[in-house]
Amino acid sequence: MQVNIKKLFLLLVLATGLLQSCRKDEEVLPPTTTPVTPGSSSAVAGFFLLNEGNMGTNKASLDYFDYATGNYSRNIYGSRNPEIVKELGDVGNDLQIYGDKLYAVINYSNFIEVMDVHTAKHIATIPIPNCRYIAFDKGYAYVSSYAGPVELDPNSRRGYVAKIDTASLTVLDTCVVGYQPEQMVIRDNKLYVANSGGYAIPHYDNTVSVIDLGAFKEEKKIQVAINLLNMAIDSHGDIYVGSRGDYGDTPSDIYVIDKDDKVSAPLGVPVNNMTIAGDSLYIISSAWSNVEASNTISYSIVNTESKKVVADKFITDGTEAKIILPFGIAVNPATKEILVTDVGNYVEPGRLYCFSPEGKLKWDIETGDIPAHIAFTHFQLREAK
Amino acid sequence: MNLYGNLKWLFFLIPLSFFSVKSTAQFNDSTVSILDSVVVTGNRTPLEIVPVQKLSGQKLEELSEHSVADAIRYFSGAQLKDYGGIGGLKTVNIRSLGSQHVGVFYDGIEISDAQNGVVDLGRLSLDNISSISLYNGQKSAIFQPAKDYSSASAVYLASQIPSFEDSTNNKYKINLRAGSFGTFNPSILWQHQFNKKLSFTLSGEYLYTKGDYLFTYKKKDSYDTTERRRNDDVRYLRIEGNLYGAIKEGEWKAKLYWYNSQRGYPGAAVRQNPGLFPHEDRQWDNNIFLQGSWKKRLSDFYSLQLSGKYANSYLHYLSDPRLDVSAMHVDNTFRQQEFYLSTAQLFRLLPFWDLDISGDFQYNTLKANLVDFVYPKRYTGLVALASSFDFNRFKLQGSLLGSFVHETTNERKKASKDKQQYTPSIIADYRPFSNQDLHIRAFYKRIFRMPTLNDLYYTFIGNKNLDPEYTTQYDLGFSYAKTFKEQALKRVEGQVDAYFNQVKNKIIAMPTSNQFRWTMINLGYTEIRGLDLSLAADWQLTDSLAVNTRLSYTYQKAQDFTDKSSPYYGGQIPYIPWHSGSFILNGHYKGWSMSYSYIYTGERYSVVANTAENYQRPWYTHDISLSKKLKIKNKDCRFTLEVNNLLNQQYEVVDWYPMPSTNFKTIFSINL
C-alpha cells in the first residue's frame, strides 16, 4: 500500500514537472515582410500604416511599405522597440509625420507615441487623456482630446486642444473647444476643429471651433451640421467638413467653409472618410440597412474647384466587390496612387488595396486589425540600431 | 472608436443579474462514509440517461474554490471565460455552443437574465451549496417544468437541505475565511426544525476583498514588467432563507434570497502611462427573489408539481470622468423584473411508460435610463410534452417543447415580432449486459435561445429583427461503473461522449456604416466536433487512508463557418482550446484531508483569425488544500489552508485580463 502512494506522488511530481517545463516564453513577434509589387523610384520613399486594433486588445500596430523594394512589412513596431512594455498600445487613432518624427495617437492608451521617422524607434510618449487627432504648424503639434474639464454636469463635458512643442515634446497649453473634438486643419494661423458631440447622443455638437494660434484662444464657433468628424483643406484654402449625421433621419454630408468662414450648402455626398489630392476630394462612404443587414458603399470624387461630384466611383476595375468595409483612404502625393483600407468585420486582420490613379488595382496585402491611418514618408525606413 | 468602445465595454461587462448562492458546506455528516460522499461522475442517479457530471459534498468543499464558476472548470466540455479576480465576470461555455445557451437552475428554478442572457457564475458563492451538476442536453427526469427543456445544457445547483439526526432542533455553523487580495469572507448558517414536517434555514454571507494582485507581462529578451491590478474590490452581502415542508407523498419548499454588492472594474491591462488615468468604473447590484415549489404524488397514476418565482434585479453602472479623466461619463441604471409560474404533471400510463405535460408562463420587464429606451416587456409561454419508456435495459425518452414569445415596447412598432418555435429532443440508453453497469447512450436535441433584451432593444445597438439562435446537438457515448470488494480500488466510473453540434443564426455584433455604430445580426454559423472523457476512482488504501481521483479531458474542434470569403473560414472559435482537462486527487487520513487539483487549458486563439498575433499560450494551475477536523469543547471544528496557483504561473484566460499569481486562503469552521 505504501508503495502505491509513493508511486502515485512520484508520478504526480513528474507530471507536474513535465507540464511546467513545456511552456515557452512569449516572444515579441517579428514583422512579416512580403513583396507585393516590383520596386520603383518615387519622391515618396514609403508610407506607414497605423492599424487601430479593437479597444481592450492592445493591438494597435504599425506597418510600412517601401517603394524602392516594393515590400510591405507588417507589424514593425514591436521588434524595433523590444524594451517598450506592451508594444504600441490600445487603439491607434491617428498617424502623422512632422519633421523627422512620426506621431501615433494611441487613443485608449491615452498618449501620443513619438518615433524616429527614419527607424520607427520610440523617442517619447506624450500623455493626453482620450486623445483623438493631431495637426502641426510652425513647430507645434495640436492634439484634440475629449477630456476637457468636468463642469457641473459630467454629461456635458467639453473637449480641448493641447499645444505641444515638437522640440521638447511637452504640452505647453490647452484650449477648451466644443464637445468631443475630432479632426483639425490649419488656415491663416487659425486652427479649425470639428466638434462631434458623440458622447451626448442625441444632442450632437454642430460646430467648428476656430482657435487663434497666436493667442491660443477659441475665437469663435462656426455652426455647420451635427456630429462633425472629417476635415480637409484644398489648395484654394477652402475647408471641407464631414458630418456623420445621426445614423437616422439626418444623413451624413460634406460642407465647405470658405475663406470668409461662410458655410456652404451640403454637397449632397455622404462621407465616412475623405482626403484631398490636387483638385480632387476622394470620398468613401457607406450606409447600413438593418433590413438587408448590409452596407451600401460608394467611392466618389468631388472637384474642389466646382464643388461638384465628378466621378461616382474611383475604383474602376470591379475590385470594390472584394472590399467589405472601406475605412482609410490616402493618395500618394507624388504618384497619385490611391490607397484604400478594408477593415472587414473589424475583428480579423484587414486589407490594404493600392490602385493606380485610374482606379485599377495594382496590389493588395493583408494588414493588422482595423487598418486606418496612412502617413507618407520621404525617408526610407532604416534598420533600427 | 471611443464611443463604441465604451458602449461595448458596458455591453460585455454590465452583467448580468446574478446571484451568489448559499452558505456553508456540510462537513461532518457522520452518517455518510467518506467514500459515499465524494462520488463525482454521474450515472449513480439511476434516472439520468444523458451525460451528467456532478461534484458534491465533501469533495466539492475540498476543492478550495470560491465560486460555482471555479468548480465548473473541472467538468469536461466546459470552458470558463474568466476576466480575473474575485469580482471579474465569469461565464461558462458548454461544448462551445455559447454561454447564453447554458441554463442555470438553483434549487430547481432557473436563474434567468432576460437582459443579458448570461449568468455570472463568479457571483454564485459555493457557501452552502451541496452539489453542482452539469447536464448536456437536459435533465432526463421528465417530471420537471417546461423551462428545464429550454436550454442546450444546464447547470443545477442544490443548496444544503437541513438534517437533524439527534434530539436537537437547532444547528448552527460559522465559517470564517480570510486570504490573499485582502479578502475577508464570514458566513453563518442556522438550521431549525419546527417539527418533523417543517424545517427552516437562514444563512448570511459577507465578503469584502480589496481584490488587488500583482501580475507580470514579459517577453523573451525584451520587456518584463510587474504591475498591480487595482479598482478590483468587491463587497457583497447575501442573505437567504429557506423553508422545507414534507407532506404526504410530496414536499414543498420556499426560498427568499437577497444579494447586494458593489464592485470596481479594473479594465483591460493594456499599455498605459504608468499611474495615469486609471480605470475607476464601478457597479452596484441589488437582487431579490422569492421562489417556491410544491410537489405531490396524488395517485399511482398522477403527480403534480407547481412552482413560481418573482425576481427583481437592479444594476447601476458608473464611469465617472471626475475620477478618471479619460473616461466617457456613463451613469446607467437597469431594473429587471420577472414573474414565473409553472405546472408539471406526470402520468404513469403503464408501469414502464410515463408521460409529462408541463406548462410555464414567464413575464420579464426591463427598465433603463438609456436614451430612446423602449422599455421592453416579454411574455413567454412554454409547453412541454415528454414521454419516457423504461424497458429495464433499454430506456427511451422523447420531448417536444413549444415556445411562444410575445413582446411589447412603449412605442408601437419598436417591438420584435411574435415568435413560435417547436423543438424536439430524443434520448436513448441501452445496457447491453444485465450484470454489467455499462451503458450506451445517445441523444439528439434541437433548441434555441431567444435574442436577449439587449440584443433586441439596447439603444442604438439592438436590432428588433433578430431571429432566435439555434443549436443542434448529436451525442453518442458510453458510461461504465464497477464496484470492487476486498481490494484497494473500491470503485471506478468512467464516461466518454463524442458529439457534433451546430449553431445556426448565431447572433453577433456587426459594425454598420462606421465604427461608431454596431448592431446585432443573425449571421454566424459554427460547427463543433468534440470528445468528453471523465474517469473517477475511489481507493481505500489502508483502513484509515482513503483516496479519490478524478480525471477529465476535453477535445474540441470548434470552427466558425460564417463567411466563406474570409481567409479564416473554418478557424477555431475564440478561446476554445483544442485540448483541455483537469485532475483532482483527494486524500483522507484520520482527521486530515488533502486536495490537489490541476487544470490544463491548451493553446487557443483570441480571434477566429488563428494568427500568431492572436495566439494564446496554454496555461495550467496547481491548487492544493489541507484541512484538519478536530473537536474544540466538544464542537466540531475544521481548519483549512489553501494555496492556489502553487507554481505561480502568470496566465490569462481572456487576453489582457491577467489572472492572480500564487494566493492563499485560510478557513475556520465550527458547528454549534
Side-chain angles (χ1 to χ4, degrees):
Chain A
M1 282 312 157
Q2 295 305 320
V3 179
N4 264 351
I5 299 164
K6 273 182 194 162
K7 270 186 184 167
L8 204 67
F9 279 98
L10 194 66
L11 205 70
L12 206 70
V13 169
L14 272 174
T16 306
L18 282 173
L19 289 165
Q20 197 68 23
S21 60
C22 66
R23 194 175 192 242
K24 284 196 211 105
D25 276 351
E26 254 182 316
E27 292 179 29
V28 171
L29 289 174
T32 43
T33 298
T34 316
V36 291
T37 183
S40 60
S41 64
S42 157
V44 172
F47 62 81
F48 294 96
L49 184 152
L50 178 64
N51 299 287
E52 294 194 350
N54 274 297
M55 196 201 85
T57 64
N58 204 55
K59 276 165 73 181
S61 66
L62 195 65
D63 298 352
Y64 175 75
F65 175 74
D66 186 67
Y67 278 98
T69 58
N71 286 345
Y72 189 87
S73 300
R74 265 182 74 170
N75 190 24
I76 63 166
Y77 182 89
S79 56
R80 286 168 181 261
N81 298 283
E83 75 288 358
I84 298 299
V85 172
K86 303 178 186 175
E87 289 86 18
L88 190 51
D90 199 25
V91 187
N93 208 68
D94 198 12
L95 184 72
Q96 301 285 342
I97 292 167
Y98 188 71
D100 56 3
K101 295 190 187 92
L102 175 66
Y103 296 80
V105 181
I106 311 297
N107 175 246
Y108 225 73
S109 290
N110 301 301
F111 57 66
I112 317 296
E113 168 76 19
V114 186
M115 291 162 274
D116 182 340
V117 75
H118 302 281
T119 58
K121 284 286 284 181
H122 169 85
I123 296 172
T125 57
I126 309 166
I128 296 181
N130 214 332
C131 42
R132 302 291 299 165
Y133 290 92
I134 191 165
F136 298 91
D137 190 49
K138 301 191 183 77
Y140 298 106
Y142 299 95
V143 174
S144 58
S145 159
Y146 284 1
V150 181
E151 287 149 22
L152 280 178
D153 177 5
N155 242 337
S156 59
R157 176 196 192 194
R158 292 191 288 168
Y160 71 90
V161 173
K163 180 180 180 180
I164 294 163
D165 178 354
T166 58
S168 67
L169 300 176
T170 52
V171 176
L172 301 177
D173 201 357
T174 61
C175 175
V176 173
V177 291
Y179 297 102
Q180 289 82 51
E182 302 282 8
Q183 294 183 11
M184 296 161 287
V185 293
I186 290 154
R187 182 177 75 187
D188 302 337
N189 205 36
K190 286 185 176 128
L191 184 72
Y192 288 75
V193 188
N195 297 310
S196 70
Y199 279 4
I201 296 167
H203 308 292
Y204 292 106
D205 203 330
N206 62 356
T207 61
V208 167
S209 291
V210 182
I211 296 175
D212 177 74
L213 290 181
F216 201 54
K217 291 275 179 283
E218 188 185 54
E219 186 182 87
K220 62 176 174 181
K221 282 192 171 111
I222 306 169
Q223 277 208 7
V224 181
I226 61 160
N227 203 3
L228 303 175
L229 168 67
N230 321 84
M231 282 205 132
I233 183 164
D234 70 12
S235 55
H236 317 287
D238 285 337
I239 296 171
Y240 297 76
V241 191
S243 156
R244 281 176 294 199
D246 64 0
Y247 318 104
D249 296 335
T250 309
S252 167
D253 215 320
I254 299 171
Y255 298 79
V256 183
I257 300 175
D258 72 7
K259 279 206 138 56
D260 304 318
D261 290 344
K262 294 270 181 311
V263 181
S264 74
L267 300 184
V269 186
V271 57
N272 281 7
N273 207 345
M274 62 189 195
T275 190
I276 286 179
D279 287 336
S280 295
L281 175 69
Y282 293 79
I283 302 156
I284 50 181
S285 78
S286 59
W288 172 260
S289 159
N290 249 349
V291 177
E292 287 159 34
S294 67
N295 276 303
T296 309
I297 293 160
S298 66
Y299 304 85
S300 48
I301 299 176
V302 164
N303 181 280
T304 56
E305 296 266 4
S306 67
K307 314 282 191 270
K308 295 269 186 295
V309 177
V310 291
D312 59 7
K313 57 181 193 179
F314 59 74
I315 299 173
T316 54
D317 61 353
T319 304
E320 64 270 26
K322 284 169 43 183
I323 300 177
I324 299 163
L325 195 57
F327 195 74
I329 178 161
V331 176
N332 180 321
T335 65
K336 298 288 184 283
E337 285 171 339
I338 307 162
L339 299 168
V340 174
T341 70
D342 179 5
V343 294
N345 63 5
Y346 284 83
V347 180
E348 293 173 8
R351 241 184 142 69
L352 173 67
Y353 292 84
C354 175
F355 298 95
S356 70
E358 296 75 36
K360 305 267 189 284
L361 182 66
K362 293 183 78 172
W363 51 267
D364 63 315
I365 181 75
E366 188 175 86
T367 62
D369 296 358
I370 315 182
H373 309 282
I374 291 168
F376 293 97
T377 176
H378 294 285
F379 311 105
Q380 191 177 27
L381 186 69
R382 298 194 303 257
E383 281 310 306
K385 282 185 192 115
Chain B
M1 178 62 218
N2 207 281
L3 176 58
Y4 166 67
N6 278 297
L7 288 174
K8 186 174 113 178
W9 170 250
L10 272 185
F11 210 45
F12 288 107
L13 284 193
I14 275 188
L16 322 171
S17 89
F18 55 80
F19 303 85
S20 149
V21 197
K22 280 192 73 178
S23 82
T24 4
Q26 151 189 14
F27 68 73
N28 189 23
D29 192 344
S30 54
T31 58
V32 182
S33 83
I34 287 168
L35 276 178
D36 282 337
S37 66
V38 292
V39 166
V40 186
T41 42
N43 270 48
R44 254 201 165 173
T45 324
L47 285 172
E48 297 299 349
I49 57 176
V50 292
V52 54
Q53 299 171 77
K54 188 174 184 180
L55 278 166
S56 61
Q58 191 169 2
K59 180 133 188 185
L60 180 61
E61 188 182 2
E62 285 173 359
L63 266 184
S64 77
E65 303 296 359
H66 172 74
S67 73
V68 168
D70 302 325
I72 281 181
R73 299 183 300 167
Y74 297 98
F75 292 143
S76 57
Q79 296 302 330
L80 189 74
K81 202 167 183 189
D82 186 345
Y83 287 83
I86 290 176
L89 174 65
K90 295 170 177 57
T91 58
V92 69
N93 186 353
I94 308 295
R95 292 185 172 181
S96 302
L97 294 167
S99 51
Q100 285 161 322
H101 287 279
V102 183
V104 180
F105 293 79
Y106 184 31
D107 281 340
I109 296 182
E110 191 178 24
I111 299 170
S112 64
D113 183 319
Q115 183 188 358
N116 298 284
V118 198
V119 175
D120 183 356
L121 296 165
R123 300 190 188 184
L124 297 166
S125 154
L126 280 177
D127 195 37
N128 217 28
I129 290 291
S130 68
S131 73
I132 301 175
S133 310
L134 168 63
Y135 292 84
N136 297 110
Q138 66 208 22
K139 207 162 63 156
S140 55
I142 64 167
F143 184 35
Q144 59 190 4
K147 252 291 174 79
D148 296 56
Y149 295 93
S150 71
S151 47
S153 24
V155 173
Y156 284 80
L157 311 173
S159 56
Q160 196 85 54
I161 292 171
S163 60
F164 300 89
E165 303 86 11
D166 43 32
S167 55
T168 176
N169 283 330
N170 287 298
K171 280 167 59 172
Y172 303 90
K173 177 166 180 174
I174 296 167
N175 261 321
L176 299 173
R177 303 181 193 85
S180 301
F181 327 123
T183 306
F184 178 59
N185 179 209
S187 68
I188 184 161
L189 169 71
W190 171 35
Q191 302 183 342
H192 177 71
Q193 182 173 248
F194 295 103
N195 55 52
K196 285 284 172 213
K197 290 192 168 170
L198 183 63
S199 58
F200 164 79
T201 65
L202 181 67
S203 65
E205 181 189 4
Y206 176 78
L207 177 134
Y208 172 79
T209 179
K210 190 154 181 276
D212 60 338
Y213 51 87
L214 295 172
F215 60 93
T216 299
Y217 281 105
K218 79 178 194 196
K219 295 221 168 153
K220 198 179 170 187
D221 305 327
S222 48
Y223 61 81
D224 184 348
T225 182
T226 297
E227 298 166 32
R228 182 174 287 278
R229 211 83 173 108
R230 56 172 305 286
N231 193 36
D232 215 2
D233 61 300
V234 184
R235 65 202 73 189
Y236 71 69
L237 177 66
R238 181 181 55 76
I239 292 177
E240 187 172 337
N242 290 287
L243 276 173
Y244 300 89
I247 50 176
K248 198 182 169 204
E249 297 283 328
E251 61 177 34
W252 64 271
K253 55 192 175 190
K255 181 192 296 290
L256 180 64
Y257 178 101
W258 177 50
Y259 176 91
N260 183 284
S261 77
Q262 181 190 158
R263 72 194 57 216
Y265 278 118
V270 297
R271 184 180 171 195
Q272 295 283 351
N273 275 309
L276 292 178
F277 324 127
H279 276 274
E280 298 287 356
D281 292 14
R282 299 202 71 76
Q283 182 174 316
W284 293 262
D285 290 274
N286 193 53
N287 300 284
I288 295 172
F289 69 77
L290 175 66
Q291 70 181 39
S293 63
W294 177 93
K295 188 154 71 171
K296 187 173 168 69
R297 198 166 73 121
L298 293 163
S299 75
D300 287 347
F301 169 73
Y302 180 70
S303 302
L304 177 65
Q305 179 182 334
L306 303 171
S307 359
K309 178 173 181 173
Y310 167 73
N312 188 316
S313 313
Y314 173 79
L315 184 158
H316 176 202
Y317 190 93
L318 178 67
S319 163
D320 190 342
R322 287 167 291 200
L323 300 172
D324 168 12
V325 291
S326 70
M328 172 184 176
H329 180 248
V330 177
D331 190 356
N332 286 335
T333 58
F334 302 88
R335 184 177 295 281
Q336 287 192 73
Q337 290 191 80
E338 176 177 309
F339 298 89
Y340 169 74
L341 280 174
S342 164
T343 63
Q345 303 174 80
L346 184 76
F347 302 89
R348 174 138 296 183
L349 301 178
L350 290 167
F352 59 87
W353 184 17
D354 285 347
L355 179 71
D356 169 80
I357 301 171
S358 301
D360 292 11
F361 169 76
Q362 186 172 319
Y363 172 60
N364 292 89
T365 63
L366 174 63
K367 291 178 182 170
N369 68 340
L370 300 171
V371 172
D372 291 342
F373 195 64
V374 297
Y375 296 88
K377 296 181 167 72
R378 171 178 286 176
Y379 303 81
T380 308
L382 299 170
V383 178
L385 185 64
S387 193
S388 69
F389 300 90
D390 186 345
F391 303 109
N392 195 14
R393 280 162 56 194
F394 179 66
K395 295 186 175 69
L396 182 67
Q397 282 184 20
S399 65
L400 183 68
L401 178 70
S403 310
F404 312 92
V405 181
H406 172 71
E407 285 166 14
T408 63
T409 51
N410 68 343
E411 286 178 67
R412 278 187 66 226
K413 294 184 178 172
K414 292 275 178 82
S416 188
K417 61 182 186 295
D418 290 355
K419 291 173 182 70
Q420 188 174 331
Q421 304 286 333
Y422 298 93
T423 47
S425 66
I426 298 172
I427 307 166
D429 180 286
Y430 177 61
R431 211 171 127 203
F433 311 105
S434 57
N435 59 346
Q436 292 285 346
D437 197 2
L438 172 70
H439 295 256
I440 304 169
R441 66 192 178 200
F443 80 85
Y444 159 81
K445 177 163 182 169
R446 185 173 144 79
I447 192 66
F448 67 96
R449 75 153 174 106
M450 277 295 291
T452 65
L453 296 181
N454 274 351
D455 294 340
L456 293 164
Y457 302 114
Y458 202 95
T459 303
F460 308 128
I461 296 167
N463 175 5
K464 72 174 178 114
N465 299 315
L466 287 175
D467 289 322
E469 177 179 309
Y470 296 94
T471 65
T472 310
Q473 302 178 74
Y474 305 88
D475 177 290
L476 177 66
F478 301 87
S479 71
Y480 180 72
K482 193 166 175 66
T483 307
F484 304 94
K485 282 176 189 157
E486 315 277 323
Q487 64 177 68
L489 179 59
K490 289 293 170 204
R491 182 177 168 84
V492 286
E493 296 181 334
Q495 53 183 345
V496 57
D497 283 90
Y499 50 89
F500 173 65
N501 299 337
Q502 294 163 295
V503 184
K504 292 174 193 162
N505 260 357
K506 203 172 165 73
I507 296 170
I508 58 175
M510 178 83 171
T512 64
S513 57
N514 66 49
Q515 221 172 339
F516 291 80
R517 268 314 158 85
W518 290 53
T519 192
M520 309 305 293
I521 60 168
N522 291 107
L523 183 66
Y525 174 66
T526 59
E527 288 182 2
I528 301 105
R529 290 161 179 82
L531 182 87
D532 286 356
L533 170 75
S534 57
L535 293 170
D538 301 333
W539 313 73
Q540 191 74 46
L541 298 180
T542 69
D543 286 347
S544 50
L545 177 63
V547 170
N548 315 109
T549 52
R550 181 177 193 276
L551 178 75
S552 82
Y553 167 78
T554 304
Y555 170 79
Q556 286 190 83
K557 188 174 180 182
Q559 293 170 283
D560 187 303
F561 291 109
T562 300
D563 180 6
K564 247 188 179 138
S565 67
S566 162
Y568 303 104
Y569 181 73
Q572 183 85 350
I573 63 180
Y575 293 113
I576 302 298
W578 280 270
H579 304 278
S580 56
S582 67
F583 175 73
I584 303 172
L585 178 105
N586 296 60
H588 305 272
Y589 181 74
K590 296 179 179 164
W592 292 88
S593 300
M594 192 282 285
S595 171
Y596 162 82
S597 54
Y598 171 79
I599 288 197
Y600 175 84
T601 296
E603 57 182 17
R604 302 144 294 148
Y605 289 90
S606 56
V607 181
V608 170
N610 295 172
T611 62
E613 288 87 349
N614 299 323
Y615 177 79
Q616 306 289 314
R617 287 189 301 166
W619 61 264
Y620 28 91
T621 53
H622 309 263
D623 300 343
I624 57 166
S625 81
L626 187 67
S627 67
K628 169 75 175 148
K629 268 188 225 176
L630 47 95
K631 295 228 183 231
I632 298 178
K633 292 187 177 171
N634 214 27
K635 305 290 180 198
D636 289 321
C637 298
R638 192 161 116 178
F639 291 93
T640 306
L641 173 67
E642 299 175 2
V643 185
N644 295 320
N645 196 359
L646 187 66
L647 298 183
N648 199 20
Q649 185 172 91
Q650 183 63 59
Y651 69 106
E652 292 173 330
V653 178
V654 181
D655 209 11
W656 298 106
Y657 288 85
M659 300 294 287
S661 48
T662 303
N663 58 88
F664 304 89
K665 189 159 77 182
T666 56
I667 304 170
F668 170 70
S669 347
I670 183 163
N671 277 13
L672 300 169

